[in-house]
Structure formats: structure tokens, C-alpha cells
Amino acid sequence: MRNLSNAMKKHLTIIILIIFTACQENQETTEEHGIKGLYEYDERVEKLVRKMSLEEKIGQMTQLDFSLLLDSADKKNMYQDPTYKLKLNKELAKELISKYYIGSFLNGIAFSSQNWFEFCYQLQEINLETHPNQIPIIYGIDHVHGANYIKEGTVFPHQINQAATFDTSLARNIGEITAAEACHLGHTWNFAPILDIGRNKFWSRFYETYGEDPWLASRMGESFIKGIQEYNGTKPYKMVACAKHFFGYSDPKWNYDRAPIEIAPQTLYEIFLPPFKSAVQAGVRTFMVNSAEINGIPVHANYDILTKLLRFEMGFEGVVVSDWEDIIRLHTVHKIASTPKEAVYLAIMAGIDMSMTPYTTSFCDYLKELVLEGRIPLDRIDLSVKRILKLKFDAGLFEQPYPTDKFFNKINRTEHQGINLSIARQSIVLMKNEKNILPLSKNQKILLAGPAAHSKRHLTGGWSYLWIATQDNFHPSDMLTLYDAMKKEFQSVELATDINTLRSKANSVSAIVLAVGEAPYAEGFGSINDLDLDKDQQLLIETALSTGKPVIVVMIAGRPRTIPTLYDKIHAMLWAGLPGTQGGIAIAEILSGKENPSAKLPFSYPYKQGKTLPYYHKFSEFSPMHPYQPHDERLRFWIAPFGHGLSYTQFEYSDLILSDTIVGAHVGLQTITARVTVTNTGKRDGKETVLWYISDEYGSYTRPVKMLKHFEKQEIKAGESVVFTFIIEPNTHLSYSAENGETLIEAGSFVLQVGGLSKRFVYAAEPEKP
């Protein structure tokens, strides 16, 4: 600059300052609107994005329902006729793709593997012939408990049952089998797992969760994700998982699905966020967003949650998809957007990458207008498109976009059904067994009654072959109901289809089994005001009790329906949840004693619906003014707490030992090793799940009475002992979240609890520097 005049130097300095200021302002603007989001650079993606038109890019951000590809008559027939064959209307498909370049379709019901293969092949073929840049479609579907939308697919117990096994290897098995059976048919994107915390027992999607505990949900969820995404038995075909519904969705204040949520920030971070953090660490490729509002702000328009938290704090780099129609609902339901177009603006600027519209292309038109008007920068569009294209590259769709019929032999294998039955057996909780009434002798004469006694759909629940099955005709012909299974397991089983029949046959039997619970439901169609079992089924239980015969209740339901006036009167109870297509066999085998029950409740089963608190409640729930008195009818709140589950053998815990009573880096101890001995004191082999809890005696925020921090399940032979070990790592097991998300680990006393035993230890924090 020494050859320039002073005037020129001054002028150039001003220009440089203007440019520098503009760059700073642009950086602040892009950060404010989420444009500077996390994205791992990929040259294949960058090259493709440079070639795409604005319309193509917006098409990649759009997801439509598969029904838009069908004739109008087919949309009705497919839900009524189990033999219906899915038929693609090629003209409709070509029109949507050529005009809007749609990047994703979703949804379905139980069609055959051949039918799915043909449909997805034809759809992809039309897309690649029509799309100017030959970008493959990614198809999304809710295989939430196995390949539940493939007619021949393996349909496992729902997630609430999976959690009751306390076995993460089984969750991984389910992920692997789901991928093996579905990914090669064109089902590349699976909208699972559900990582919402099941605290609200009224919530209609409770059965889709891994229960009320964040540690359990985190471990099961990450195992499922790894199972799906790491499965390589159908190369080059892959499946990507979706962590949903981010986050806090499962605890609506007044119980109804998609209703407003009011949760303290500290609770959101400590209880509801951990499973989603674990999903990111497990490498999950996509997230789906909470449909509701949290503390007054709909999550689909919440930049703090979708960009600051998910992207910047958690480091998620993948695709964020809306839930069903939830962008337009910012206008029609939440009323924070005065027009549908404004709803699109709010959602995209908050951090949504793809809109599950799913029945309209208006999203494409609104988004194009917003870009052309300059309200949404093109960089913001490019960021989402890059994430979506990277997802498609990583899923192998550019390598092999077409499905194949070469892997049909992967579907419904004998070993898959064997694993399915094993999971069902390990998912059913023996809650009560007075005087060891169970197991029943195989030569006993048994009377079976109840609405779930001879029903397939009660065992599988929602999201099984149909979204909500109203009859059994879509279920496999060889699937056994509980009645079918019991007839194979016992010498004499009679079915009572009504109360009068029950009364008339009761005298001739030695025990009555009542299969009660809930018919299938899903989402808002399962919303209830009353957690009590309905009056007709309670009357059925009362009638059975009046006969004087032993009464065993089998609760087949997606949530813990309460029977407060009857629970103490019945002789035994199984919580069967929604145990899937092998559930009838599993229940029958537990009733007969062929299978020794090993499941434990992944939630606290309420006594009455007025107080349905989780096991990790605060100390202040009880005080000197209203102390906990388990035999006081007014203060009895559980019939069984989280972790409860009986066996046909007995386990005794002893010799809880800690390697030290103080831990902390500056005292030279990074961890404490805890050991406990568990002895099978009964006469038969059995599986036991050891649950390790830690209680923080004092904290800056009020602490729960205890929190699960480790679990392990092993089979223990009769008369033998096994030593279980838990290595306590302060950063992992003693920390918790503040209301701003900051991780706190505070010095003080902690109590380790396992199997009724406890030991106190101290965490010594590093002294503050002067």
C-alpha cells in the first residue's frame, strides 16, 4: 500500500471495513436463521447441488403420502380387502415428479413383499426417467415393531414390551431383522425408534415408548439404531433410522396426543433429552419433530430446539423431517402463523429440512415464493438439500436406487420367528402370584374369557398390518390367539364369550383366566379421560371373582389400565402389554410354567389414576404432612413400581461391595467398582435383571429419590450364584443437567442401591482454583 496516495489508502480502508462489517452481519444472520448449520462436506453432494434448479431443490424437501399415487377407488379398497394388490398410477406419479420433483414418499399397510417390490421399483423407475438429475426417491415407512407393514414380515412386541426385557441385544436383533426384511423392498427410511419417555400413562402412544426411564430408553434406542443402520446382510441395500419425536412429546399436560406440553427446562434436559443425545452418538441419520408445543412454542417453529440445541449443542448433522401435516398446523391448529405460507417460513427458518405435507404440494409453491421474495435465503434451502442428498448417498440409493426381489428369503425366516417368540416370552411381567397359584398344571381344566381371549389384533395393537386394525383379517392365518395357544398348552380349555357363559361354566373348572385390556388404537384415536379399565371388563372380573374360583388376569394393553377395587382380590396377574404375533404362545407358556417369567416393568404401574408419578419422583412428593404410607388407601399410588417383576424361582441379593467409598480425579480415583452377589435360591433356572440405582443426597436442583444408572440381565441356574459388577464413572453416572443444559457434577454423598441393599459413597470435586 506504500505506492498508494493517502486518499486512496483511506478510501480502500473504508471499503475493507464495509466488506468486513457486511460479512459479520451476514454471519450473524445466517447463524440466527440456522443457515450455518452443521453439514459434513461431500463433493458428490456439492457438485449435484450446483446443477439443481430451485424447483428441484424444493422437491427434495417435500414428502408426500403414497395414496397420491393411487386411483381413488384403490384408496378405499386397500383398507377393506386384505387381498388387495397395491397398484401404482403411473400417470399420477409422472405428473407429481415432473412438476414438483418430489424427493420422498411415505406410508403403507401390509402388502406382500412381491407387491412392495413391484410398486417401489416402478415408482423409482418413473422418477429416474423423469428427474433431470436422476436423484433417487427415498421411501419412508413406520416399521415401528418389526416389518409390520409387510404381509409376511416379522411383527415383534411393541417397544414398551421390548423395554420390559431389559436386554439391549434383543433391541439390536429387532433392528437387524427389520432392516433385513424391508430395506431391499425400497423401504430405505424407517421412522423408528420412538425415543419419547413414557411418563404419562394416559398418553395414547405410551406403548410405542421404551418406558419411563431415560437410561433404559437410551440404551434400548441406541442398540436398535445400530441394529438397523449397521446391518449389512443385504448389500448394497441399507436402512436408515429416525429418532422421534424430538422432544418432550410424550407428556401432554392434559393427556391427549399432540396437546400442549408444559415441562420445566431442567426436566426436559434431564429426563426427556438423554435418549435423543444417545441416538446422535449412535449415528442416527434422521430426526422427526414433536408435533406439539412446549411451553407455548410449537416445536416445528422452535429455532432454539431444532437448530441451537439439536445442531449446535448436540452436533446432529442429518435430516430433520416434520411429522404428519405439522407445518401447516402452525397455521390451522397452533395459530402462530397467520397464513399457510407464513407457517412454511417459520418451520424452515426454525430448522426443518423436509416437510411431510403429506397430501398437498402447496408447500412447494409457498417455499418457492418465499425464496423468490428474498425472505428465505437460497443458502438455507441448499443446506437442507445437502443434508437430504447426503442421506441418500449414505443410504446407497445412488449406488443402487432400485429395489430387488433377490432377498425375499430374508423375510420371516424361522430364526426370526424364534427370536420374536423369545422376546415375547421375556417381555411379559408376572406382577402378582398369590400362594403361587401360577404356574397352572397342564391337566387343570381352565376357563378363558375376556375380549382379548380369542383376538389376534389385541396382541399386536396399533401399527400392525393396518394403522388401526378393527378386525383380524389382515393378520397372518397361522398366528395363534391366546385361546389357540392355550388349547395347545393345556389339556382342557373352554372359552366363555360372555358373562352368562362364564357363570354357567365356572363350576366345572379349577381356574379362570381373564384376557382383558384394550383393542388397537393409534395416536389421537387412543386418547382417553379415564385410565380405569372399562366397566364391562371390570364387571367380568367381578363376576369371575364371585364364582370363588382362582382368577388370573392377563392385561393385554398398550398402557397400564387400572383396576383399583379389584387388584387386591384377584389371585394373579400378568402384564402382557402388546406382545406381538407370538404373544399368544408366550402367555400360554408362562401360564403353564413352560417358560419362567423374567420381565420387569419399564414403568410404574399406578394403583389409581389420580397419582401416576414415575419411580424417580422428588422427595417432596411426601413430607411430614403427608408421609408415604403404602397401606393407606389415600396414599397408595403404585400396585407395582418400575423394575418389579416376579419369577417362578427366587433370587437373593448379598455382599454388596464397593472398591472404595470416595471417588474423584484429584484424589486419584477415577471410578468405583461395585459388586453384588445374586443367588438363585429356588428350584428352577431363571433370568434375573439386576437394576443399579444411584441417589444424589443433595443438589443445586432438587434431586429424584433415585435414578437407574446401569442394568444387566443373566440366567442363573438353580442353587448357583453370580457376581454382577457396575463401574461407577462420575461424569456418566453422577452428573445431571441444569435448566440451561449445562452438565452439573457436584461434590457430596451418593447412595448406591441394588436389590434392596445400599452403600453410601462420596464424590470429591476438584477444589476451586483461587
Side-chain angles (χ1 to χ4, degrees), residues 174-276:
I174 293 170
E176 291 172 341
I177 291 170
T178 302
E181 296 192 349
C183 69
H184 47 87
L185 301 179
H187 296 180
T188 307
W189 190 0
N190 188 16
F191 299 138
I194 294 86
L195 298 179
D196 305 302
I197 296 297
R199 293 210 313 180
N200 188 324
K201 311 305 191 297
F202 288 83
W203 190 46
S204 56
R205 306 190 73 167
F206 181 85
Y207 64 88
E208 297 180 58
T209 76
Y210 287 122
E212 72 183 29
D213 182 77
W215 184 271
L216 175 60
S218 298
R219 303 290 78 77
M220 297 294 286
E222 66 190 11
S223 294
F224 176 83
I225 289 165
K226 290 176 181 178
I228 275 191
Q229 295 190 164
E230 295 176 5
Y231 177 75
N232 61 6
T234 51
K235 289 181 178 179
Y237 298 94
K238 303 175 185 177
M239 179 175 276
V240 296
C242 182
K244 65 182 189 183
H245 307 82
F246 188 68
F247 75 122
Y249 176 49
S250 54
D251 200 4
K253 185 174 183 179
W254 306 118
N255 305 327
Y256 280 17
D257 185 44
R258 294 177 180 249
I261 294 155
E262 295 179 11
I263 302 176
Q266 193 275 327
T267 303
L268 281 170
Y269 273 102
E270 182 172 10
I271 303 300
F272 293 90
L273 189 60
F276 293 98

Side-chain angles (χ1 to χ4, degrees), residues 270-410:
E270 182 172 10
I271 303 300
F272 293 90
L273 189 60
F276 293 98
K277 278 188 169 181
S278 294
V280 174
Q281 293 163 4
V284 74
R285 299 299 177 85
T286 68
F287 266 62
M288 187 182 291
V289 181
N290 175 355
S291 299
E293 65 178 68
I294 294 180
N295 300 330
I297 303 175
V299 182
H300 278 75
N302 195 321
Y303 174 80
D304 286 344
I305 288 178
L306 297 182
T307 298
K308 285 186 177 180
L309 174 58
L310 181 58
R311 301 293 187 185
F312 300 154
E313 293 183 32
M314 295 169 60
F316 178 64
E317 297 180 345
V319 172
V320 173
V321 63
S322 80
D323 204 343
W324 189 270
E325 210 175 40
D326 278 333
I327 290 181
I328 198 68
R329 286 175 179 163
L330 297 175
H331 167 65
T332 59
V333 175
H334 296 291
K335 307 289 186 180
I336 66 164
S338 58
T339 64
K341 182 176 174 180
E342 187 67 16
V344 172
Y345 172 81
L346 292 174
I348 298 302
M349 299 312 269
I352 301 288
D353 293 315
M354 184 183 292
S355 173
M356 189 187 292
T357 65
Y359 293 128
T360 173
T361 56
S362 61
F363 170 81
C364 302
D365 300 325
Y366 293 139
L367 187 51
K368 181 179 178 180
E369 291 173 13
L370 288 163
V371 174
L372 295 178
E373 292 166 2
R375 292 192 67 199
I376 295 182
L378 185 58
D379 284 353
R380 174 65 192 90
I381 303 300
D382 286 351
L383 181 58
S384 285
V385 174
K386 288 174 183 180
R387 291 169 179 154
I388 293 164
L389 293 179
K390 181 165 176 53
L391 174 69
K392 292 183 177 184
F393 273 113
D394 291 347
L397 287 170
F398 282 92
E399 178 185 357
Q400 177 51 273
Y402 291 105
T404 183
D405 57 0
K406 305 299 184 187
F407 291 113
F408 283 1
N409 64 342
K410 297 282 187 179

